[in-house]
Amino acid sequence: MKVVVLTGAGISAESGVPTFRDADGLWEGHRVEDVATPEAYDAQPMVVHRFYDARRTALAAVEPNPAHLALARLEEHLGDDLLLVTQNIDDLHERGGSTRVLHMHGELRSALCRACRSRVPWTEDLGDFPPCPRCGVAELRPDVVWFGEVPYGMDEIQDALAEADLFVSIGTSGAVYPAAGFVQYAGRNGARTLELNLVPSEGTHLFDEARHGPAGQLVPAWADELLR
Ligand code: BV8
């Protein structure tokens, strides 16, 4: 049984990580779509650094929740038959025990050098323009995929969706592409599709089945069902 799981901000909500749409997409009065763009970074790098430095710092104060732990248990049983794709840039899947996580929108704990294009592990602030540990040039930016930028791992994701028997979308509003289109691609390639979300997402009608409620309850129950 080949499974592809896609997670969004909703899976980290019960860990205390705010989602994009709960704060109606605002941060310090900025719309996320206005901060998470290369144009915003070029125009006002310090505002964008403050946005990501604050979220990177906040990682220390949150813990994985039962939904993250259930997906790690699923990986233990399914191994390479499970591909976990996340839109999240937090490290809660890893801290919950998942070892193979595809961060299609990048990660807070990584920095990207605009000079040498290296992706380097990073846990400190970037707002003081530290030099790249690889090339020494002070051009490190958050290693995050902004609006208008190309997500990571699209080939691997598309291959997995084409082979999947089951596609499960957890805690995402289905508002952002290409992630929001994965359900149709998987379904067209013969996968059964399931949505686990607090409330019906924008694409809920595209799924064979949808269950609504907190991920911390729905995901462990679904994992138990699958592993039975
Ligand atoms: C691309 C990283 C081409 C940054 C993010 C016009 C101009 C330019 C582009 C476009 C355009 N029109 C459309 C586009 C494409 C654009 C797009 O989709 N825009 C939207 C606004 C229409 N997309 C892009 O630009 C992407 N790149 O298209 O490149 C391409 C395409 C294909 C192949 C190759 C190249 C890049 C988009 C990536 C942007 N970066 N994040 C950061 O984190 O700061 S997006 C960000 O918002 C998240 O990563 C996530 O992906 C997205 C949506 O957030 P969600 O995770 O869904 O969270 P949200 O708050 O929305 O929803 C939470 C859900 O959880 C809710 O449904 C809620 O009910 C539920 N929930 C809450 N609590 C719980 C819960 N569920 C369960 N339990 C709970 N307790």
Side-chain angles (χ1 to χ4, degrees):
M1 151 90 75
K2 289 185 173 301
V3 182
V4 175
V5 171
L6 171 71
T7 64
I11 199 169
S12 299
E14 289 156 84
S15 297
V17 180
T19 67
F20 290 86
R21 269 94 194 143
D22 289 356
D24 53 56
L26 283 186
W27 173 78
E28 286 192 1
H30 300 279
R31 276 168 27 84
V32 171
E33 278 80 13
D34 299 337
V35 177
T37 68
E39 295 75 22
Y41 183 70
D42 289 338
Q44 37 185 11
M46 279 320 294
V47 170
V48 176
H49 275 312
R50 258 211 331 273
F51 179 49
Y52 290 98
D53 286 350
R55 290 167 69 189
R56 190 178 303 103
T57 305
L59 286 181
V62 296
E63 293 297 326
N65 68 58
H68 297 106
L69 303 178
L71 293 180
R73 192 155 47 86
L74 212 54
E75 179 191 307
E76 275 164 34
H77 287 84
L78 293 179
D80 288 350
D81 282 345
L82 168 69
L83 177 65
L84 173 54
V85 182
T86 187
Q87 301 172 92
N88 301 338
I89 60 175
D90 64 50
D91 60 346
L92 291 174
H93 280 303
E94 290 83 354
R95 287 167 55 198
S98 293
T99 63
R100 183 170 167 245
V101 185
L102 200 165
H103 285 269
M104 66 179 289
H105 290 162
E107 297 183 64
L108 281 170
R109 295 175 311 157
S110 174
L112 175 67
C113 179
R114 295 173 79 187
C116 69
R117 304 302 299 166
S118 299
R119 299 178 70 185
V120 294
W122 200 266
T123 55
E124 310 306 313
D125 285 354
L126 287 170
D128 46 5
F129 298 95
C132 167
R134 296 275 165 77
C135 75
V137 176
E139 277 290 341
L140 289 176
R141 55 161 272 186
D143 186 10
V144 166
V145 177
W146 286 323
F147 288 99
E149 297 188 322
V150 178
Y152 286 120
M154 286 304 295
D155 293 343
E156 183 180 355
I157 295 168
Q158 260 153 6
D159 291 349
L161 291 171
E163 299 293 314
D165 303 298
L166 178 61
F167 172 72
V168 186
S169 175
I170 302 172
T172 181
S173 58
V176 173
Y177 289 85
F182 290 171
V183 53
Q184 286 156 301
Y185 188 77
R188 269 205 305 275
N189 283 274
R192 206 164 63 74
T193 57
L194 169 65
E195 169 175 271
L196 303 178
N197 204 59
L198 189 64
V199 296
S201 74
E202 290 184 25
T204 197
H205 58 287
L206 300 170
F207 289 84
D208 297 320
E209 184 190 355
R211 300 177 192 172
H212 298 129
Q217 291 165 30
L218 290 183
V219 179
W222 165 69
D224 289 344
E225 197 182 288
L226 196 73
L227 295 176
R228 197 168 292 136

